[in-house]
Amino acid sequence: MDSSKLKIYKASAGSGKTFTLALEYIRELLMKQSRDAHRHILAVTFTKDATGEMKNRILSELYGLAFDCPDSGTFGKALSEALRRSGHPMNDEEIREKSKLILHSILHDYSHLNITTIDSFFQKVLRNLARELGRGSRFNLEMNTLKVLSEAVHAVIEQANEDPQLLDWLMAYIEGKLDEGGYWRIDREMMDFSRCIFNEYFQEHEYILKSQLESDASVFKKIKESHSEIQSGCKDFFKNVYEEMTEVMLQNALEPGDFNRNGVVLNFLSKLASGDFQTANAGTATIKDCCSDASKWPSGKTKKKDTVIALAESCFMRLLNTTLDVLRKYHTSRMITQNIHQLGLIWDITNEISRQNAENNRFMLSDTALFLNRMIDDSDTSFIYEKIGAEIKHVMIDE
């Protein structure tokens, strides 16, 4: 059998999935010469009930094969056919004798029967890596991320009056939410945006945030000041564009009624100039058309159609397209200033979780994948095998 081959069995509930998994597991054991072949097969399930069912099925089928029980007749025939297809044919007597040896080995080495839930397997690995984790051998493995997050958020809020930088971030965030008419339960807001802490992407790039804050704790303040200047410049630009537009209209004796939809573009520019970004809709069909087609500018009833088209080609289209570019820049800058302090709060919450984990000798199960990836990155995975006491050659996943 090609050991690198991936096999996928699709089966609905009650269609014999456990039968197939037990068949594959026992087939692998019978094909091996080693007495401890069960140590090298990891069978992973997602519930304890499924784990118990798989263990019972494998052991009961091995017992039935070993002692030629009538109930194992169907399983035995299927197993013989599976062995034949794998290039390891065995007769009934060979299967019976080999099954006795395998059953005896498993029962006398039951702690190394690697049929477990994925959470339990990771817990086993982590407990064997206690030293590398910087934890005592009896560390607690925490799976309830929401509970941990809630405790950290409330602790950060309580500590805000003792940390000027944290208080500044918190107050800036609260002021921003009040300006938006946001939800007043700030702890719930912080819970919501801090869930990303347990996200794999955040964990992989957390060092970037750490390096920025360590090099300059006021980096967020500087970013906010920089973008405040950008937004101020954008607002000045909108005022200048509207003034230029109205000046050109005055010079050419044009009225809003000379323009399509009674001057919808002019109304749009007027709202931007007055700072009304809420109702200034840049996505209307008319505005989109006017960006690229001068014939869309004049009203169907105006007597100055040619004048409006000529001005659109020489001036108005340029002003509108540039305004839309600046508006996108403004909105991007606005989003940054509205959310920049969340990063500061997230960093404090992350540090509080780390502090509480160390204080309680606790490790988050959600950190397992990243921790193992970093541990075996650019190194020999035999170190992990040494820690868990076995080299895994086959992995079976029941899902």
Side-chain angles (χ1 to χ4, degrees):
M1 177 182 176
D2 181 5
S3 60
S4 65
K5 188 175 181 179
L6 173 66
K7 283 188 176 182
I8 300 176
Y9 295 95
K10 294 183 179 180
S12 57
S15 61
K17 181 174 59 175
T18 305
F19 178 94
T20 302
L21 289 171
L23 181 69
E24 287 293 312
Y25 190 94
I26 293 174
R27 180 181 64 82
E28 287 294 337
L29 293 179
L30 289 173
M31 288 167 50
K32 306 299 181 184
Q33 298 299 320
S34 172
R35 294 287 298 272
D36 64 350
H38 59 278
R39 289 191 173 197
H40 308 297
I41 302 176
L42 171 64
V44 175
T45 68
F46 284 81
T47 67
K48 290 182 179 180
D49 289 343
T51 296
E53 182 182 359
M54 188 182 292
K55 284 183 177 180
N56 289 336
R57 188 62 179 265
I58 289 171
L59 292 175
S60 63
E61 295 295 357
L62 277 173
Y63 182 89
L65 293 169
F67 297 98
D68 198 20
C69 297
D71 292 345
S72 292
T74 301
F75 187 88
K77 291 179 181 179
L79 181 61
S80 295
E81 177 60 21
L83 288 167
R84 185 189 65 76
R85 289 198 306 269
S86 301
H88 292 78
M90 299 175 69
N91 58 41
D92 292 346
E93 181 62 26
E94 289 173 325
I95 291 176
R96 185 161 47 251
E97 292 303 317
K98 188 70 178 287
S99 296
K100 286 182 180 179
L101 294 175
I102 292 171
L103 183 62
H104 182 272
S105 296
I106 290 176
L107 293 177
H108 285 78
D109 190 34
Y110 193 74
S111 62
H112 289 95
L113 181 63
N114 295 314
I115 302 175
T116 179
T117 63
I118 190 167
D119 286 349
S120 296
F121 174 70
F122 278 141
Q123 288 184 45
K124 177 182 177 181
V125 173
L126 292 174
R127 293 196 184 283
N128 288 328
L129 292 169
R131 180 179 178 182
E132 287 74 16
L133 288 170
R135 300 284 187 271
S137 59
R138 296 183 178 274
F139 71 89
N140 302 307
L141 193 61
E142 182 59 65
M143 292 179 281
N144 191 342
T145 55
L146 289 181
K147 171 178 171 289
V148 171
L149 185 59
S150 177
E151 291 173 351
V153 165
H154 286 93
V156 165
I157 293 174
E158 291 175 2
Q159 296 164 9
N161 64 331
E162 301 173 3
D163 185 337
Q165 182 65 76
L166 170 58
L167 184 60
D168 178 60
W169 289 340
L170 187 59
M171 292 303 298
Y173 178 72
I174 292 173
E175 289 170 0
K177 298 306 294 184
L178 290 175
D179 289 341
E180 298 172 13
Y183 192 59
W184 69 274
R185 287 295 301 272
I186 198 66
D187 55 335
R188 295 186 184 179
E189 293 274 358
M190 291 173 65
M191 281 280 292
D192 286 340
F193 70 67
S194 298
R195 291 173 189 263
C196 67
I197 289 173
F198 305 107
N199 180 281
E200 188 172 331
Y201 180 85
F202 177 85
Q203 292 175 336
E204 289 176 351
H205 297 84
E206 181 183 336
Y207 71 94
I208 298 176
L209 180 60
K210 180 180 180 181
S211 62
Q212 286 282 348
L213 289 171
E214 286 182 346
S215 62
D216 184 2
S218 63
V219 62
F220 294 147
K221 182 179 180 181
K222 292 178 179 178
I223 290 174
K224 185 176 180 180
E225 291 173 350
S226 172
H227 281 278
S228 293
E229 292 179 4
I230 291 174
Q231 293 165 38
S232 178
C234 291
K235 291 176 180 179
D236 290 339
F237 175 84
F238 297 142
K239 292 177 182 177
N240 293 334
V241 165
Y242 181 67
E243 290 176 1
E244 183 176 349
M245 180 87 169
T246 53
E247 179 64 26
V248 172
M249 288 174 59
L250 182 63
Q251 292 173 357
N252 291 271
L254 296 175
E255 300 289 340
D258 293 316
F259 294 87
N260 192 3
R261 293 185 59 191
N262 201 32
V264 65
V265 174
L266 184 64
N267 184 50
F268 168 67
L269 296 176
S270 174
K271 288 182 176 180
L272 293 182
S274 65
D276 182 7
F277 300 101
Q278 295 294 327
T279 61
N281 187 0
T284 65
T286 301
I287 290 178
K288 290 181 179 179
D289 291 340
C290 287
C291 287
S292 56
D293 190 348
S295 67
K296 299 295 184 179
W297 282 79
S299 166
K301 299 180 181 180
T302 183
K303 295 179 181 180
K304 300 180 179 180
K305 180 178 179 179
D306 292 341
T307 301
V308 173
I309 290 177
L311 289 171
E313 291 175 341
S314 64
C315 177
F316 294 157
M317 289 174 62
R318 172 182 56 81
L319 290 176
L320 179 59
N321 280 289
T322 306
T323 296
L324 293 177
D325 288 339
V326 174
L327 183 59
R328 282 189 285 269
K329 179 180 179 181
Y330 173 83
H331 283 314
T332 300
S333 178
R334 180 66 175 163
M335 288 179 65
I336 291 173
T337 55
Q338 286 177 335
N339 296 286
I340 189 67
H341 290 94
Q342 288 186 18
L343 283 175
L345 293 173
I346 285 173
W347 181 245
D348 274 295
I349 293 169
T350 301
N351 287 335
E352 179 60 25
I353 289 175
S354 298
R355 188 194 67 76
Q356 291 185 10
N357 285 344
E359 184 178 279
N360 298 306
N361 197 29
R362 181 177 69 190
F363 185 81
M364 301 297 300
L365 185 64
S366 58
D367 295 337
T368 304
L370 182 63
F371 172 76
L372 293 178
N373 282 337
R374 287 176 175 172
M375 178 156 287
I376 64 177
D377 186 34
D378 298 325
S379 64
D380 193 341
T381 54
S382 60
F383 174 71
I384 300 295
Y385 292 142
E386 177 186 339
K387 284 295 184 176
I388 65 177
E391 180 180 354
I392 304 300
K393 297 179 178 179
H394 301 279
V395 179
M396 302 174 65
I397 303 175
D398 178 13
E399 170 54 24

